[in-house]
Amino acid sequence: MSPPHPQDWLERPLHDASGPGEWPFTRGIYPTMYGGKLWTMRQYAVFGTAEETNDRFHHLLDAGQTGLSVAFDLPTQMGYDSDHRIAEGEVGRAGVAIDSVDDLERLFHGIPLDKVSTSMTINSTAAILLAMYVTVGDEQNVPRDKLQGTLQNDILKEYIARGTYIYPPEPSLRLSADIIRFTAGAKMSFNPISISGYHMREAGATAVQELAFTFANALEYVRRALSVGVSVDDVGPRLSFFFAAYTDLFEEIAKFRAGRRLWARLMKEKFNAGDAASRLRFHTQTGGATLTAQQPLNNVVRVAVQAMAAVLGGTQSLHTNSYDEALALPTELSATLALRTQQLLAHETGVPDIVDPLGGSWYVEALTDKLEAAARALVEEVEAGGGSVKAIERGLFQEAIARSAYEQQREIEDGKQVVVGVNEYVTEERAAPIPAPDYSRLADQQRRRLRELREKREAGSVTRTLAALDAAARESSAPLMELILEAVRARATLGEISDVLRGAWGTYDPR
């Protein structure tokens, strides 16, 4: 996409004369934005055991963090208990291992769930983790309408860019929609889905593709929610989005502005949604794929610029990456510095005092227009082809992202795109080694806990609840969340519940 020229904007001034908080929300979804409330500082915590992650949560809360974000290990994401042969070598490596509701209680021990908002990056097994979270809240005597947070629950992007899917698309979408139905019915202060462009961007998508493919998926989720009886004006305010912030400062700011406007227009045009249901509320994470193992301290600067882009673009929630994440799990020091980056931005720069401070810039306004037009064209291409599921089956998303990733990598290797410390200003500096956890010990501990759980629980209750879930899953439209909740309460494990659904629905083979 060619860069805008001053004349692009000067020839059509006041193209969007709306103010902050006014539809289509180009300048922000609230009239005062951060003048009324700062964005939520929500740092992602990644550790092998629930106890270690709990320790990091307490440390970050004590350091001023205002929301929690949980990463789960691959077996948890893929629906396998830690003692399954497929889990061998992966327990606790990409996040915390959760096999039962008792593990989740350890994760949030001493953290009042009615006071802290929690985001959970989980998709295929999202219903099980939500049921566990609700159960922990029940056992803390926290009313369900006081539970706050966000469940990722975005299975479509797993087929496109990330790969942690289990079931075929149709039953997976049924489960996603049932989560939306359950949270709406329980009046939970919980976003039941966070439609994610972040992982597609990390896989190589451009800024335009990130917006367009995310919104194409979001339209599919809205339709699925309507199909289970949730109105557009009920589901719309419950939708959350998740975007990346990369280092091209102006492109990222314009991307967020264009995204707000495009989503508002799509919701109005396709569903006649009201203003509240048309607001684009989103979490941002700085670009993990932009972090370099070479000269890792350069990442401090990258993250600061990316965080600035997110805030100038009007994010509601922000995670800033630690500078050492290209090397290993973040140390306590680097995680604290990442949080301090947000706090410095909030309290020392004056940036939060002004709503949409770059609004009116010929460049930012023209770039906003260009990004919106290009993203809309891609959304309409997907819609004309039958929607996201059809596009996934045709490989449209996957092929487009693969081409973009290839072109970006070729530009880096050819030196056309400079990455400081990688293809320019290179030194022989070696990063200091960072000790890794003892993953074998973590896995042994999880396996021991599973043995103890299975010995002490009431086996008959587990069998009955799993049988009821199996029967409902084999019906075409029976509600599932309540039955998953009963199984979790009976201390059925994540793997056992997932196996029931695998048996009923099968697994997805992209071939």
Side-chain angles (χ1 to χ4, degrees), residues 101-303:
V101 67
D102 293 341
D103 286 332
L104 206 73
E105 192 286 324
R106 295 181 188 101
L107 182 66
F108 291 105
H109 187 73
I111 297 173
L113 298 188
D114 55 344
K115 300 290 195 300
V116 174
S117 168
T118 301
S119 173
M120 293 190 283
T121 304
I122 197 73
N123 298 285
S124 294
T125 55
I128 304 170
L129 269 298
L130 177 62
M132 290 180 179
Y133 194 75
V134 168
T135 300
V136 172
D138 288 347
E139 293 176 359
Q140 282 190 6
N141 295 315
V142 176
R144 291 182 187 175
D145 62 357
K146 299 296 183 186
L147 294 173
Q148 312 164 60
T150 298
L151 194 68
Q152 191 158 99
N153 187 30
D154 175 8
I155 196 61
L156 291 175
K157 68 97 173 43
E158 296 296 326
Y159 301 115
I160 295 168
R162 197 162 171 268
T164 63
Y165 47 74
I166 303 174
Y167 320 112
E170 283 303 323
S172 293
L173 284 166
R174 174 187 170 188
L175 205 51
S176 291
D178 200 56
I179 289 168
I180 296 171
R181 175 199 61 80
F182 175 81
T183 54
K187 305 295 182 187
M188 293 174 65
S189 299
F190 214 88
N191 302 319
I193 192 165
S194 178
I195 306 107
S196 174
Y198 180 87
H199 302 95
M200 292 185 277
R201 189 68 181 278
E202 291 280 279
T206 65
V208 168
Q209 290 169 340
E210 181 187 8
L211 285 181
F213 296 164
T214 303
F215 291 158
N217 288 346
L219 294 174
E220 186 70 43
Y221 290 123
V222 173
R223 294 185 183 108
R224 299 294 173 138
L226 297 179
S227 75
V228 296
V230 184
S231 72
V232 68
D233 287 321
D234 196 358
V235 70
R238 294 176 177 275
L239 299 179
S240 174
F241 291 79
F242 176 21
F243 294 114
Y246 274 35
T247 319
D248 188 329
L249 183 70
F250 294 111
E251 181 178 67
E252 294 301 293
I253 294 165
K255 179 189 77 178
F256 296 130
R257 300 174 86 251
R260 269 194 299 274
R261 190 161 68 200
L262 178 55
W263 181 245
R265 289 173 170 170
L266 289 171
M267 285 291 278
K268 190 79 75 176
E269 292 164 10
K270 295 184 181 294
F271 305 108
N272 195 30
D275 285 4
S278 303
R279 290 190 179 99
L280 181 75
R281 299 174 306 119
F282 62 94
H283 170 72
T284 309
Q285 181 172 339
T286 56
T290 69
L291 302 178
T292 63
Q294 302 93 325
Q295 301 178 24
L297 285 175
N298 293 346
N299 296 328
V300 175
V301 182
R302 292 186 179 102
V303 168

Side-chain angles (χ1 to χ4, degrees), residues 447-464:
R447 287 190 287 264
R448 175 179 56 78
R449 284 176 169 168
L450 277 165
R451 284 195 302 272
E452 292 171 354
L453 174 74
R454 290 178 179 128
E455 288 169 0
K456 73 180 182 183
R457 69 188 182 181
E458 212 285 298
S461 295
V462 174
T463 300
R464 284 192 298 273

Side-chain angles (χ1 to χ4, degrees), residues 464-487:
R464 284 192 298 273
T465 58
L466 292 178
L469 176 61
D470 181 63
R474 293 176 189 276
E475 297 179 20
S476 60
S477 58
L480 300 173
M481 269 302 303
E482 289 81 358
L483 296 170
I484 292 172
L485 193 57
E486 289 302 314

